[in-house]
Amino acid sequence: MKCPNCSNEVPDKAKVCGYCGHRLKAGAPETEPKKTREPVTTTGAAPGWRWGIIAGVGAIFCLVILAGAGYWLLKFRVPAANEPPAPSFAPTLPLPPAAVQSTQQTNCNEARFISDLNVPDGTTMTPGQTFTKSWRIKNVGTCTWTTDYLIVFSGGDRITGADSQALPGNVAPGQEVDLSVNLVAPEAEGNYIGEYALQDANGGKFIGFTVNISVQAAPTRQIAYVAELDGKRAIYTVNLNGSDIRLLAEDGDDPDWSSDGRKVAFVSYRDGGHIYVMDADGNNQTRLTNNSSYDICPAWSPDGQQIAFVSGRNGNYEIYIVNADGSGERRITNNPGNDDCPLWSPDGEQLLFVSDRDGNYEIYVANVNGSGDMRLTKDPKSDGSPDWSPDGRKIVFASDRDGNNEIYTMNVDGTAVTRLTNNTGSNFYPRWTPDGQRIVFVSDGVYVMNADGSNRMHYYTGGVPKWSPDGDYIAFVDNHIGELNLYDLYAANSDGSNQVLLVENVSYQFDWSP
């Protein structure tokens, strides 16, 4: 018989048309005209389930057996237009090892941070203090860093300095390089974190590193001095106007301020005579050296990280250096004579001192690593009281080579010796002004002259003059009336005016706070 829906021939006893799925009544007469057969398609069909003849594999299907008809039919589902495709059930086989490719690759510009070289995080600075921050970086990329690469400020708190500067030279892959920036601490107090990065020639930035400092105002200008207390030498401080005298150490001598004004190094005889440090208010007194002899003359390095001193532990006085925390003690000089109190060069690379190792007092210099110990003066008479010029290019000193003590200058290698004073008196203890323009010295009182010896002026009686760090004031001592080895401490303006008595009955040992 024919299906009334699609006009295809179907078995007489079929209940469902195998072409279109129409339900039939077995043996029903033809009531519909013959129609042309059209293939079943899902294109454009509404979503849902449909019946059709099995035509292949790969579809999700359900089989039914038509009772008495012997036909296999397929029930399939038409997906909605926005429905995602059914997942594939084909097995995934692992690729052979040769076919697996690594996803890791080394970029052209890659770097590894090695270490901070100075100015540790949280370092305290005073407003306007200049400093250099340095890092060590390694090139772990594939490209050479050229001088077209820059160190650039990239974010965070802006600390005064150049926004960018070129690398010091080419850095090939695998090489390490030390990078530095010159900076000035902000004027306002607070904590500052500046961020820096490397930048390639195309402006691309990679690897970051930071500067982390704390800016605190310097304490009020003070002078630390030594005076007797219950039969012992003690350290006190006094303000520039003579006010607020405070006891710092009941057993202390020879004070020396750190460059940031936060610490004072000193000698204490409480346990034999050793180098100590304490906070500027006298707290946290800490012993740095430990031996059976005396350690004296402590002197802070310009960066405040080390202290040079003199020790008699080997039977004669030699120069040593110790870190500010007491670690890393090392001997700098080694000779049969006695080496006197050292002075650091402005760049912190050398020590200037007097020694009698060659039979009379002469001036020497040595590198802080112990090398380069060199005699600068070579005269049968005594040379002493040396002082570095602020730029580190000249040395001023006193000598009796011409029959009486006069003031001279020379280059740092001992050449170009020039006499500045010429009189019948005894001239000694010369000291440069912080700007290097003038020299103060002692003769029959305190005098000041230009750095070339001209314009000599007598200021006042007294001795051991020392400039304040800003050059605005001079402090000095004068013998206390009727007392031997006791002095009165004075301060005055740099032009000699406004002389003020600060404190009486003191030692000649004193030092300005920064």
Side-chain angles (χ1 to χ4, degrees):
M1 69 179 182
K2 294 182 179 180
C3 174
N5 184 50
C6 63
S7 300
N8 288 309
E9 293 288 341
V10 296
D12 290 341
K13 295 182 178 182
K15 295 181 179 180
V16 178
C17 175
Y19 294 95
C20 68
H22 185 72
R23 289 187 173 275
L24 304 172
K25 291 183 178 180
E30 294 184 15
T31 58
E32 297 291 334
K34 183 177 181 179
K35 297 180 180 178
T36 303
R37 185 179 66 179
E38 297 179 359
V40 177
T41 179
T42 63
T43 303
W49 290 91
R50 296 289 185 272
W51 290 93
I53 298 175
I54 295 176
V57 294
I60 300 174
F61 59 89
C62 176
L63 296 177
V64 298
I65 302 175
L66 299 179
Y71 277 83
W72 291 92
L73 299 180
L74 170 65
K75 184 177 183 182
F76 59 91
R77 184 177 178 276
V78 178
N82 60 351
E83 185 174 332
S88 170
F89 294 99
T92 301
L93 300 178
L95 293 174
V100 178
Q101 296 184 356
S102 173
T103 59
Q104 297 181 349
Q105 60 180 2
T106 301
N107 294 325
C108 169
N109 290 323
E110 283 194 24
R112 179 183 303 137
F113 181 84
I114 303 299
S115 65
D116 286 298
L117 298 182
N118 57 13
V119 191
D121 286 353
T123 295
T124 299
M125 300 280 181
T126 55
Q129 181 177 341
T130 60
F131 66 100
T132 299
K133 173 66 180 182
S134 301
W135 309 268
R136 181 163 293 161
I137 308 295
K138 183 175 184 179
N139 183 348
V140 295
T142 60
C143 294
T144 295
W145 304 342
T146 69
T147 52
D148 290 331
Y149 283 54
L150 303 174
I151 310 166
V152 298
F153 174 78
S154 60
D157 300 314
R158 185 175 293 278
I159 301 173
T160 302
D163 284 342
S164 66
Q165 62 186 65
L167 296 190
N170 291 348
V171 183
Q175 287 186 332
E176 294 182 358
V177 62
D178 294 346
L179 305 178
S180 300
V181 291
N182 297 319
L183 301 168
V184 180
E187 292 296 332
E189 291 187 282
N191 297 320
Y192 295 85
I193 300 178
E195 299 171 359
Y196 293 81
L198 285 183
Q199 178 177 289
D200 63 22
N202 297 319
K205 295 182 178 66
F206 62 104
I207 193 169
F209 29 89
T210 62
V211 178
N212 184 335
I213 61 172
S214 175
V215 178
Q216 300 178 21
T220 302
R221 183 58 52 75
Q222 296 175 310
I223 296 176
Y225 66 93
V226 175
E228 294 289 330
L229 175 67
D230 298 330
K232 296 185 295 186
R233 298 166 76 85
I235 298 176
Y236 296 81
T237 57
V238 60
N239 288 344
L240 183 57
N241 60 4
S243 67
D244 197 22
I245 295 176
R246 297 188 181 189
L247 173 65
L248 298 189
E250 293 182 354
D251 188 328
D253 201 4
D254 205 3
D256 189 64
W257 292 89
S258 62
S259 58
D260 62 2
R262 308 293 172 183
K263 297 283 186 179
V264 177
F266 64 102
V267 176
S268 177
Y269 300 102
R270 67 191 72 175
D271 46 17
H274 297 290
I275 306 301
Y276 280 71
V277 294
M278 61 182 167
D279 295 340
D281 60 3
N283 290 326
N284 299 316
Q285 297 184 20
T286 304
R287 178 174 170 176
L288 300 187
T289 62
N290 186 8
N291 64 85
S292 59
S293 184
Y294 288 112
D295 300 323
I296 58 176
C297 295
W300 286 94
S301 61
D303 62 4
Q305 301 300 309
Q306 302 176 92
I307 298 171
F309 63 97
V310 171
S311 178
R313 65 188 68 177
N314 295 301
N316 63 313
Y317 283 107
E318 302 283 2
I319 295 173
Y320 290 75
I321 290 178
V322 65
N323 292 334
D325 62 0
S327 65
E329 184 179 295
R330 61 191 187 274
R331 183 173 176 174
I332 303 303
T333 61
N334 188 356
N335 64 86
N338 293 300
D339 299 329
D340 203 1
C341 303
L343 292 85
W344 291 84
S345 61
D347 62 4
E349 296 297 325
Q350 293 181 303
L351 294 172
L352 183 66
F353 59 97
V354 173
S355 177
D356 65 357
R357 65 182 71 171
D358 294 317
N360 66 316
Y361 287 107
E362 300 287 354
I363 298 172
Y364 293 76
V365 68
N367 297 326
V368 296
N369 62 5
S371 67
D373 192 330
M374 182 175 66
R375 178 176 170 177
L376 299 182
T377 58
K378 300 175 182 179
D379 192 271
K381 296 298 183 69
S382 293
D383 303 311
S385 299
D387 188 42
W388 296 95
S389 64
D391 62 6
R393 301 171 67 179
K394 293 278 188 180
I395 295 171
V396 64
F397 65 100
S399 176
D400 65 353
R401 63 184 60 189
D402 294 319
N404 64 311
N405 279 321
E406 300 287 357
I407 307 300
Y408 297 79
T409 59
M410 63 181 170
N411 294 334
V412 294
D413 61 359
T415 63
V417 175
T418 303
R419 181 172 173 173
L420 300 185
T421 61
N422 188 2
N423 56 63
T424 58
S426 182
N427 306 288
F428 56 97
Y429 204 79
R431 289 296 180 264
W432 297 89
T433 56
D435 62 6
Q437 299 301 307
R438 293 182 295 167
I439 296 172
V440 64
F441 65 99
V442 176
S443 185
D444 56 351
V446 176
Y447 286 76
V448 174
M449 63 183 172
N450 292 337
D452 62 1
S454 64
N455 197 28
R456 190 178 305 116
M457 298 179 63
H458 179 224
Y459 274 18
Y460 20 68
T461 61
V464 198
K466 295 183 181 180
W467 297 98
S468 63
D470 56 11
D472 290 340
Y473 304 94
I474 300 175
F476 62 97
V477 295
D478 197 3
N479 282 107
H480 185 71
I481 298 176
E483 298 286 348
L484 184 65
N485 296 325
L486 284 180
Y487 304 87
D488 296 335
L489 179 62
Y490 293 85
N493 294 334
S494 61
D495 61 1
S497 65
N498 196 28
Q499 179 176 320
V500 176
L501 173 62
L502 301 181
V503 63
E504 297 179 322
N505 296 323
V506 302
S507 165
Y508 66 88
Q509 294 174 325
F510 65 91
D511 191 43
W512 284 95
S513 69

